[in-house]
Each structure stands twice: as structure tokens, then as C-alpha cells.
Amino acid sequence: MVKTAIYKKLLAEIAAKENEADRITGDLIGQAAVMIGLLQGILMKLREHLLNTDQITTTEEIEFFKFVKPQVLGKLIFYNEVYRIETTCPVSGGKMYRKYLSSQIKFLKRNHKAYSDPDFFRYYRSGRTDRDMEFFTRGQLRNFTGIDSSYFEADPAFSTYYDNLLSRIIAHDLLYAYLLTRIEPQYTLPEGCNDFPDEFQWTGTKNALIELIYALYVTGVISNGKIGVRKITTVFQWLFKTSLGDIHHAFHRMKDRAGSRTLFLEQLKDSLEHYMDKDL
């Protein structure tokens, strides 16, 4: 079965392919097209791997449908939407351009309300795990009242219904950040920053960067606390050309860490104090 180490390697490969596609194509449409093909292939391989596995534990099944498949499918939905938006955009600048992107944000918000199950949305955002067996193992859905009709089109051997719902939540977060940087230039990098040398990159873990982002957000040191965590995340993602995925869920996992929950911040403090002591 897909273990945690394999899952992390898979996401790292996807991130590397994103950077490679960006360098090769040089435009969002080209990058989206490349990533759609790549992610479709990965999704098919995951399905084949799962269906050919004779024995799978409940823990492994939950891991697959809560962490593995939604990250891949969520990115696939995201890049498909990026391709649609970029290829139908009537102009490349000006008022009409901003109006078009604003309409896409409004559409995104309306669509988000349409497919979101409020109870599940709160469950996921809060980082709870007590109903994971109900949401992320197959054959558990008993109440069909009010569920999205896409459930009846899904492959029951490769879906729990809620993994698809989670994929759309992940795609929604990515799309919101993407549209925000397109419509509000103040949340994108200054001109020329996209030409930073390759060595200018975040070399720590994604969790470390998310920990730093939340620390900056909750202390209110950016724009007097008037900027939301998603907008701050958008800037850091553009700055370091990296995708942080669903930062809310990553943050809630940090809250359940064994030992220190602010590992990276403590490392920053110790490193800085050590550097200061060298000059004494």
C-alpha cells in the first residue's frame, strides 16, 4: 500500500514537475497542460495500485483517501480550472481583465457553497480525526439524502465520496490563491522577482514555512494584522516558487505534534542566539 514515505516522495515529484513545467513552457497555459497530463497519469497509477492490493488495513485506507488521492486529484482539478480560465480570458490586462478575473472569484465562491457539506467542511478544517473511518473508507456512506450527484458517477472501488469533496476543497484553496495573485498585483512579487536565480529557494520543510507564516499572521506584524493567512501564504508561495497545498490542515496536524509544536520557531531562536554569541 502507499506508505507515508512513498506519499511524501510522490508529492515531492509533483512539485519538481511543476517547477520544471514552469521553466520549460514559461506560461500558465503550457504549465497547466503539462500538469494535467502528468496528474492524470499519476491518478490512474494510484487507482491500479490500490485495486491490485490484496490486503489493506483501515489505517492505510484512511491515509490513501484522506492524504494521497485528494492531493493529486485536487491539483488536477486546480490545473484544469487554470487552463480553462487562462484560455478563455478575453484580454491580458486592463479593466476588462480585472473584471473577468473578479467574475471567476465570484463563481468560485458560489461553486464552493454549492458543493461543500458544512459538517464535513468544519470537520476537515478543525483537523479532527474521530470520523475518519466514516469519511475515508469505502462503502460507509449510507445516507444518500442531499449528497452531490457526482457520487453516483464515481467508482466505488476508488472513492469514498468524501475524498472527492476534500479534493475540491483543496482545489478551491489553490484557485483562490492563484486568482488573488492575478487580480491583486500587491499580492504578487515585484517585477523581476520571478527571475530570481535557481539557488533562491526554500530549502527547509514545508511545515517549517507554514509554521513561520502562521506565526507572522497571528502576531499581526504584517499590515497591522489586516492581511489574512491565505494572502500571506500566497506571497510566500510566489516568493519561493513552491506550493504549500492545504496549509490549514497542515497547521492542525502541527497542533497534535508530539513534543514541541513550534519546532521551527525554536530552531530559529536558538540559531540566532548562537550567532549573536559568536560576536561577544
Side-chain angles (χ1 to χ4, degrees):
M1 191 47 210
V2 179
K3 303 294 185 180
T4 301
I6 299 176
Y7 159 60
K8 289 181 178 179
K9 182 180 178 181
L10 178 67
L11 290 189
E13 289 176 359
I14 292 175
K17 287 293 183 181
E18 285 179 306
N19 292 332
E20 181 182 347
D22 183 42
R23 290 195 300 270
I24 294 174
T25 64
D27 67 284
L28 283 170
I29 295 175
Q31 182 189 24
V34 170
M35 292 306 300
I36 288 170
L38 172 72
L39 291 163
Q40 280 181 315
I42 291 176
L43 202 60
M44 291 177 64
K45 289 180 181 179
L46 285 175
R47 181 183 183 278
E48 181 181 356
H49 183 68
L50 178 68
L51 299 187
N52 289 334
T53 301
D54 295 328
Q55 294 182 339
I56 175 174
T57 67
T58 299
T59 299
E60 289 172 336
E61 188 171 8
I62 289 172
E63 179 183 32
F64 184 86
F65 286 110
K66 186 175 183 179
F67 300 113
V68 183
K69 182 188 171 188
Q71 289 293 339
V72 178
L73 181 56
K75 287 248 182 180
L76 179 56
I77 295 170
F78 163 67
Y79 278 110
N80 189 56
E81 285 299 297
V82 169
Y83 188 86
R84 176 189 65 80
I85 291 170
E86 291 295 330
T87 54
T88 56
C89 186
V91 291
S92 59
K95 291 183 179 180
M96 186 181 295
Y97 172 77
R98 290 178 61 83
K99 184 177 180 180
Y100 169 79
L101 293 178
S102 294
S103 71
Q104 293 300 312
I105 290 182
K106 291 178 182 178
F107 173 78
L108 182 64
K109 290 179 178 179
R110 288 196 304 270
N111 193 42
H112 180 60
K113 291 179 181 178
Y115 70 67
S116 285
D117 178 321
D119 290 337
F120 175 73
F121 187 81
R122 287 193 292 270
Y123 175 87
Y124 171 67
R125 288 297 197 213
S126 66
R128 288 168 53 192
T129 59
D130 54 289
R131 297 177 66 186
D132 277 2
M133 183 176 294
E134 174 188 347
F135 290 139
F136 301 112
T137 59
R138 292 162 291 182
Q140 298 297 317
L141 193 60
R142 298 288 182 265
N143 180 13
F144 297 99
T145 304
I147 65 172
D148 192 286
S149 59
S150 63
Y151 170 76
F152 303 107
E153 303 170 4
D155 181 354
F158 192 54
S159 177
T160 70
Y161 173 69
Y162 287 101
D163 66 281
N164 287 345
L165 197 58
L166 177 53
S167 299
R168 293 188 175 277
I169 293 172
I170 291 171
H172 175 276
D173 286 349
L174 292 172
L175 274 169
Y176 180 83
Y178 148 74
L179 287 170
L180 186 66
T181 58
R182 299 288 279 165
I183 198 172
E184 299 186 42
Q186 65 267 36
Y187 298 120
T188 63
L189 289 178
E191 183 177 355
C193 286
N194 282 327
D195 297 325
F196 282 168
D198 289 340
E199 60 267 22
F200 189 86
Q201 55 185 298
W202 180 263
T203 54
T205 66
K206 289 188 177 183
N207 277 347
L209 185 54
I210 292 171
E211 189 178 322
L212 175 62
I213 289 170
Y214 264 92
L216 294 172
Y217 165 65
V218 298
T219 52
V221 294
I222 297 179
S223 300
N224 295 313
K226 296 179 181 179
I227 302 298
V229 68
R230 286 203 295 187
K231 292 181 179 179
I232 297 172
T233 302
T234 297
V235 173
F236 275 86
Q237 288 183 135
W238 276 91
L239 179 62
F240 294 115
K241 297 180 183 178
T242 186
S243 173
L244 294 176
D246 189 342
I247 63 166
H248 298 286
H249 192 262
F251 176 71
H252 284 294
R253 289 203 305 270
M254 291 178 196
K255 291 165 63 176
D256 296 326
R257 279 176 178 169
S260 174
R261 296 186 297 176
T262 55
L263 192 64
F264 180 62
L265 296 181
E266 291 175 12
Q267 180 185 341
L268 285 179
K269 177 178 177 292
D270 291 342
S271 297
L272 181 58
E273 288 182 344
H274 179 71
Y275 184 78
M276 290 175 171
D277 290 340
K278 288 169 60 176
D279 293 334
L280 294 179

